[in-house]
Amino acid sequence: MRKIIYPIVIVFGLILLSAIPNNDTQKSSIQGVWELVDRYTYDGNHVIDTIENTNGYRQIKMYSNEKVMWTRFVPLDSVEWFGYGSYFTHDSSLVEVLEYGSSSMLKIIDTMRKFQFKLVIDQNTYSQITLDNEGNPMFSENYKRLE
């Protein structure tokens, strides 16, 4: 009788374990192609201004396994903006380390290569929020998933 009960208990236990949802498959990934929708300015934890994209302004970010590339198009500006580098996410943070970019971006990269943001993400949107030295939000870029 014991020879029959133990396998039944083990099989029953495996069935119960397989019914527990796997949170890893439900986590949102930043991998993909994203388009900037708007930007927020904060006062404390409150959004005080929203800047919408206008007049053909576009900014696209592409994240692969470990690399990020972004480009910005401003129709009324002849300055080119793009950058390329690596990134990683951990808990609720996004860190981008740029390696090279357009001449306008290289001037920034010469003084600051590492960009750290608070990350708020779900399946089809994400926000990268710049924090001050005390951890308060200053402004954010808000994206929607294209792919």
Side-chain angles (χ1 to χ4, degrees), residues 126-138:
Y126 93 87
S127 295
Q128 60 182 52
I129 305 168
T130 301
L131 304 175
D132 66 15
N133 291 336
E134 296 174 2
N136 301 310
M138 296 189 319

Side-chain angles (χ1 to χ4, degrees), residues 90-104:
H90 180 69
D91 294 332
S92 63
S93 67
L94 166 65
V95 177
E96 297 178 356
V97 181
L98 296 183
E99 298 170 24
Y100 74 88
S102 59
S103 60
S104 51

Side-chain angles (χ1 to χ4, degrees), residues 40-106:
Y40 293 160
T41 303
Y42 292 85
D43 183 13
N45 287 321
H46 302 286
V47 174
I48 59 169
D49 192 18
T50 301
I51 302 168
E52 303 282 341
N53 294 340
T54 58
N55 301 325
Y57 179 100
R58 286 192 83 188
Q59 182 166 307
I60 306 291
K61 281 194 164 188
M62 296 164 276
Y63 292 93
S64 69
N65 288 338
E66 298 174 357
K67 299 296 182 181
V68 59
M69 183 165 185
W70 66 269
T71 182
R72 178 185 302 158
F73 177 69
V74 184
L76 303 176
D77 189 357
S78 62
V79 176
E80 292 184 1
W81 289 97
F82 65 85
Y84 170 81
S86 59
Y87 80 95
F88 65 90
T89 60
H90 180 69
D91 294 332
S92 63
S93 67
L94 166 65
V95 177
E96 297 178 356
V97 181
L98 296 183
E99 298 170 24
Y100 74 88
S102 59
S103 60
S104 51
M105 193 62 205
L106 282 174

